[in-house]
PDB file of all heavy atoms in Angstrom:
ATOM      1  N   GLY Q 157       5.526  10.045  14.718  1.00 94.00           N
ATOM      2  CA  GLY Q 157       5.714   9.404  16.018  1.00 94.00           C
ATOM      3  C   GLY Q 157       4.614   8.435  16.408  1.00 94.00           C
ATOM      4  O   GLY Q 157       4.806   7.611  17.312  1.00 94.00           O
ATOM      5  N   GLN Q 158       3.480   8.497  15.744  1.00 96.00           N
ATOM      6  CA  GLN Q 158       2.348   7.635  16.120  1.00 96.00           C
ATOM      7  C   GLN Q 158       2.643   6.157  15.876  1.00 96.00           C
ATOM      8  O   GLN Q 158       2.373   5.310  16.727  1.00 96.00           O
ATOM      9  CB  GLN Q 158       1.092   8.045  15.354  1.00 96.00           C
ATOM     10  CG  GLN Q 158      -0.146   7.235  15.715  1.00 96.00           C
ATOM     11  CD  GLN Q 158      -1.363   7.643  14.901  1.00 96.00           C
ATOM     12  OE1 GLN Q 158      -1.315   8.560  14.084  1.00 96.00           O
ATOM     13  NE2 GLN Q 158      -2.465   6.951  15.118  1.00 96.00           N
ATOM     14  N   LEU Q 159       3.198   5.839  14.724  1.00 96.00           N
ATOM     15  CA  LEU Q 159       3.484   4.435  14.422  1.00 96.00           C
ATOM     16  C   LEU Q 159       4.524   3.870  15.379  1.00 96.00           C
ATOM     17  O   LEU Q 159       4.409   2.719  15.832  1.00 96.00           O
ATOM     18  CB  LEU Q 159       3.967   4.278  12.977  1.00 96.00           C
ATOM     19  CG  LEU Q 159       4.326   2.855  12.553  1.00 96.00           C
ATOM     20  CD1 LEU Q 159       3.149   1.899  12.726  1.00 96.00           C
ATOM     21  CD2 LEU Q 159       4.822   2.834  11.109  1.00 96.00           C
ATOM     22  N   GLU Q 160       5.527   4.663  15.713  1.00 95.00           N
ATOM     23  CA  GLU Q 160       6.541   4.196  16.661  1.00 95.00           C
ATOM     24  C   GLU Q 160       5.909   3.821  18.001  1.00 95.00           C
ATOM     25  O   GLU Q 160       6.304   2.819  18.617  1.00 95.00           O
ATOM     26  CB  GLU Q 160       7.619   5.267  16.864  1.00 95.00           C
ATOM     27  CG  GLU Q 160       8.616   5.389  15.708  1.00 95.00           C
ATOM     28  CD  GLU Q 160       8.058   6.149  14.518  1.00 95.00           C
ATOM     29  OE1 GLU Q 160       6.908   6.658  14.600  1.00 95.00           O
ATOM     30  OE2 GLU Q 160       8.743   6.233  13.493  1.00 95.00           O
ATOM     31  N   ARG Q 161       4.953   4.612  18.447  1.00 95.00           N
ATOM     32  CA  ARG Q 161       4.272   4.287  19.701  1.00 95.00           C
ATOM     33  C   ARG Q 161       3.480   2.988  19.577  1.00 95.00           C
ATOM     34  O   ARG Q 161       3.459   2.172  20.514  1.00 95.00           O
ATOM     35  CB  ARG Q 161       3.346   5.448  20.110  1.00 95.00           C
ATOM     36  CG  ARG Q 161       4.107   6.706  20.534  1.00 95.00           C
ATOM     37  CD  ARG Q 161       3.197   7.735  21.166  1.00 95.00           C
ATOM     38  NE  ARG Q 161       2.234   8.290  20.222  1.00 95.00           N
ATOM     39  CZ  ARG Q 161       2.472   9.343  19.436  1.00 95.00           C
ATOM     40  NH1 ARG Q 161       3.661   9.939  19.468  1.00 95.00           N
ATOM     41  NH2 ARG Q 161       1.530   9.807  18.630  1.00 95.00           N
ATOM     42  N   GLU Q 162       2.853   2.770  18.445  1.00 95.00           N
ATOM     43  CA  GLU Q 162       2.107   1.532  18.234  1.00 95.00           C
ATOM     44  C   GLU Q 162       3.047   0.326  18.166  1.00 95.00           C
ATOM     45  O   GLU Q 162       2.715  -0.765  18.650  1.00 95.00           O
ATOM     46  CB  GLU Q 162       1.267   1.633  16.965  1.00 95.00           C
ATOM     47  CG  GLU Q 162       0.144   2.652  17.073  1.00 95.00           C
ATOM     48  CD  GLU Q 162      -0.744   2.710  15.852  1.00 95.00           C
ATOM     49  OE1 GLU Q 162      -0.637   1.822  14.979  1.00 95.00           O
ATOM     50  OE2 GLU Q 162      -1.560   3.653  15.754  1.00 95.00           O
ATOM     51  N   LEU Q 163       4.223   0.519  17.592  1.00 95.00           N
ATOM     52  CA  LEU Q 163       5.209  -0.564  17.550  1.00 95.00           C
ATOM     53  C   LEU Q 163       5.710  -0.896  18.952  1.00 95.00           C
ATOM     54  O   LEU Q 163       5.857  -2.072  19.308  1.00 95.00           O
ATOM     55  CB  LEU Q 163       6.375  -0.179  16.639  1.00 95.00           C
ATOM     56  CG  LEU Q 163       6.088  -0.185  15.137  1.00 95.00           C
ATOM     57  CD1 LEU Q 163       7.192   0.537  14.380  1.00 95.00           C
ATOM     58  CD2 LEU Q 163       5.939  -1.612  14.617  1.00 95.00           C
ATOM     59  N   GLN Q 164       5.974   0.124  19.753  1.00 94.00           N
ATOM     60  CA  GLN Q 164       6.415  -0.105  21.128  1.00 94.00           C
ATOM     61  C   GLN Q 164       5.350  -0.831  21.943  1.00 94.00           C
ATOM     62  O   GLN Q 164       5.657  -1.631  22.825  1.00 94.00           O
ATOM     63  CB  GLN Q 164       6.767   1.231  21.798  1.00 94.00           C
ATOM     64  CG  GLN Q 164       8.027   1.863  21.240  1.00 94.00           C
ATOM     65  CD  GLN Q 164       8.277   3.248  21.811  1.00 94.00           C
ATOM     66  OE1 GLN Q 164       7.488   3.775  22.593  1.00 94.00           O
ATOM     67  NE2 GLN Q 164       9.387   3.856  21.401  1.00 94.00           N
ATOM     68  N   ARG Q 165       4.095  -0.585  21.616  1.00 94.00           N
ATOM     69  CA  ARG Q 165       2.988  -1.239  22.296  1.00 94.00           C
ATOM     70  C   ARG Q 165       2.801  -2.682  21.813  1.00 94.00           C
ATOM     71  O   ARG Q 165       2.046  -3.441  22.403  1.00 94.00           O
ATOM     72  CB  ARG Q 165       1.723  -0.426  22.043  1.00 94.00           C
ATOM     73  CG  ARG Q 165       0.576  -0.687  22.982  1.00 94.00           C
ATOM     74  CD  ARG Q 165      -0.471   0.402  22.849  1.00 94.00           C
ATOM     75  NE  ARG Q 165      -1.004   0.482  21.491  1.00 94.00           N
ATOM     76  CZ  ARG Q 165      -1.394   1.611  20.901  1.00 94.00           C
ATOM     77  NH1 ARG Q 165      -1.291   2.766  21.534  1.00 94.00           N
ATOM     78  NH2 ARG Q 165      -1.895   1.595  19.684  1.00 94.00           N
ATOM     79  N   GLY Q 166       3.474  -3.032  20.722  1.00 94.00           N
ATOM     80  CA  GLY Q 166       3.375  -4.394  20.197  1.00 94.00           C
ATOM     81  C   GLY Q 166       2.208  -4.607  19.259  1.00 94.00           C
ATOM     82  O   GLY Q 166       1.802  -5.755  19.025  1.00 94.00           O
ATOM     83  N   ASP Q 167       1.674  -3.524  18.679  1.00 95.00           N
ATOM     84  CA  ASP Q 167       0.528  -3.657  17.787  1.00 95.00           C
ATOM     85  C   ASP Q 167       0.899  -4.202  16.414  1.00 95.00           C
ATOM     86  O   ASP Q 167       0.037  -4.737  15.708  1.00 95.00           O
ATOM     87  CB  ASP Q 167      -0.161  -2.292  17.590  1.00 95.00           C
ATOM     88  CG  ASP Q 167      -0.853  -1.814  18.845  1.00 95.00           C
ATOM     89  OD1 ASP Q 167      -1.038  -2.616  19.772  1.00 95.00           O
ATOM     90  OD2 ASP Q 167      -1.219  -0.620  18.901  1.00 95.00           O
ATOM     91  N   TRP Q 168       2.161  -4.054  16.033  1.00 96.00           N
ATOM     92  CA  TRP Q 168       2.611  -4.464  14.702  1.00 96.00           C
ATOM     93  C   TRP Q 168       3.951  -5.178  14.784  1.00 96.00           C
ATOM     94  O   TRP Q 168       4.754  -4.902  15.672  1.00 96.00           O
ATOM     95  CB  TRP Q 168       2.793  -3.250  13.782  1.00 96.00           C
ATOM     96  CG  TRP Q 168       1.612  -2.373  13.627  1.00 96.00           C
ATOM     97  CD1 TRP Q 168       1.329  -1.235  14.341  1.00 96.00           C
ATOM     98  CD2 TRP Q 168       0.536  -2.530  12.706  1.00 96.00           C
ATOM     99  NE1 TRP Q 168       0.154  -0.678  13.909  1.00 96.00           N
ATOM    100  CE2 TRP Q 168      -0.363  -1.450  12.904  1.00 96.00           C
ATOM    101  CE3 TRP Q 168       0.249  -3.470  11.707  1.00 96.00           C
ATOM    102  CZ2 TRP Q 168      -1.521  -1.293  12.151  1.00 96.00           C
ATOM    103  CZ3 TRP Q 168      -0.915  -3.311  10.965  1.00 96.00           C
ATOM    104  CH2 TRP Q 168      -1.788  -2.248  11.184  1.00 96.00           C
ATOM    105  N   GLN Q 169       4.188  -6.048  13.814  1.00 94.00           N
ATOM    106  CA  GLN Q 169       5.524  -6.552  13.531  1.00 94.00           C
ATOM    107  C   GLN Q 169       5.950  -5.969  12.187  1.00 94.00           C
ATOM    108  O   GLN Q 169       5.108  -5.725  11.315  1.00 94.00           O
ATOM    109  CB  GLN Q 169       5.522  -8.077  13.452  1.00 94.00           C
ATOM    110  CG  GLN Q 169       5.166  -8.762  14.761  1.00 94.00           C
ATOM    111  CD  GLN Q 169       5.313 -10.266  14.657  1.00 94.00           C
ATOM    112  OE1 GLN Q 169       6.322 -10.769  14.163  1.00 94.00           O
ATOM    113  NE2 GLN Q 169       4.305 -10.997  15.106  1.00 94.00           N
ATOM    114  N   THR Q 170       7.231  -5.736  12.012  1.00 94.00           N
ATOM    115  CA  THR Q 170       7.732  -5.175  10.761  1.00 94.00           C
ATOM    116  C   THR Q 170       8.661  -6.169  10.086  1.00 94.00           C
ATOM    117  O   THR Q 170       9.538  -6.759  10.727  1.00 94.00           O
ATOM    118  CB  THR Q 170       8.488  -3.855  11.006  1.00 94.00           C
ATOM    119  OG1 THR Q 170       9.553  -4.091  11.949  1.00 94.00           O
ATOM    120  CG2 THR Q 170       7.557  -2.794  11.547  1.00 94.00           C
ATOM    121  N   ILE Q 171       8.448  -6.366   8.793  1.00 93.00           N
ATOM    122  CA  ILE Q 171       9.329  -7.228   7.990  1.00 93.00           C
ATOM    123  C   ILE Q 171       9.526  -6.586   6.622  1.00 93.00           C
ATOM    124  O   ILE Q 171       8.675  -5.813   6.172  1.00 93.00           O
ATOM    125  CB  ILE Q 171       8.762  -8.654   7.838  1.00 93.00           C
ATOM    126  CG1 ILE Q 171       7.421  -8.631   7.095  1.00 93.00           C
ATOM    127  CG2 ILE Q 171       8.607  -9.339   9.181  1.00 93.00           C
ATOM    128  CD1 ILE Q 171       6.901 -10.013   6.767  1.00 93.00           C
TER     129      ILE Q 171
END
Side-chain angles (χ1 to χ4, degrees):
Q158 182 182 358
L159 179 58
E160 284 78 4
R161 291 190 293 273
E162 293 183 11
L163 287 166
Q164 290 174 357
R165 198 166 60 213
D167 291 346
W168 304 95
Q169 296 186 47
T170 56
I171 62 173

